[in-house]
Every structure is written in structure tokens, then in C-alpha cells.
Amino acid sequence: MNYKSCIRCDHELLADDIAIYRKLVNRAATEFLCMDCLAQDFKCSRQDIEKLIDYYRKSGMCTLFR
């Protein structure tokens, strides 16, 4: 299996880390930030990012979160 890690902190990424990065930053990205580093860049909390993921998943409108 091809594991990816955060380009800043080297934390192993989960599918949600990759999906939210693609949704918020660049749909065609091949390198990613984990949720913690992404939240830091957006000056918000990890919980804010997790709420967005939950929203996109429940809405059913985004194919990245199915």
C-alpha cells in the first residue's frame, strides 16, 4: 500500500486528510498537509476542519467524502 505523509510534519495521512486538502487547497494535489498543519495554515482549529469534513460527508455533494 502506498502511504503518504504530511509534507510539513511527516505525520501519516488518512483519507480524510487528503480529501480535505484537495477540497480546500488543490483538487489535483499530490503532496498534502495533515489536518493539524492545514488548520494552522488556515488559522483555525482541527475541530473546525473536522466539522467541514462532517458537513461535506453529510451533504453528499462532494465525491471526495463518499
Side-chain angles (χ1 to χ4, degrees), residues 27-39:
R27 187 75 172 219
T30 58
E31 296 182 320
F32 310 94
L33 294 174
C34 67
M35 275 188 249
D36 293 322
C37 291
L38 187 63

Side-chain angles (χ1 to χ4, degrees), residues 1-50:
M1 187 164 217
N2 184 16
Y3 293 102
K4 294 193 179 283
S5 58
C6 176
I7 58 175
R8 184 175 299 150
C9 71
D10 207 36
H11 183 270
E12 187 176 314
L13 300 173
L14 302 174
D16 282 348
D17 292 299
I18 293 169
I20 196 66
Y21 188 87
R22 284 186 168 154
K23 179 71 174 177
L24 299 177
V25 179
N26 179 354
R27 187 75 172 219
T30 58
E31 296 182 320
F32 310 94
L33 294 174
C34 67
M35 275 188 249
D36 293 322
C37 291
L38 187 63
Q40 191 174 46
D41 278 6
F42 279 105
K43 296 178 178 33
C44 66
S45 69
R46 179 188 175 95
Q47 290 78 19
D48 292 331
I49 300 289
E50 289 170 342

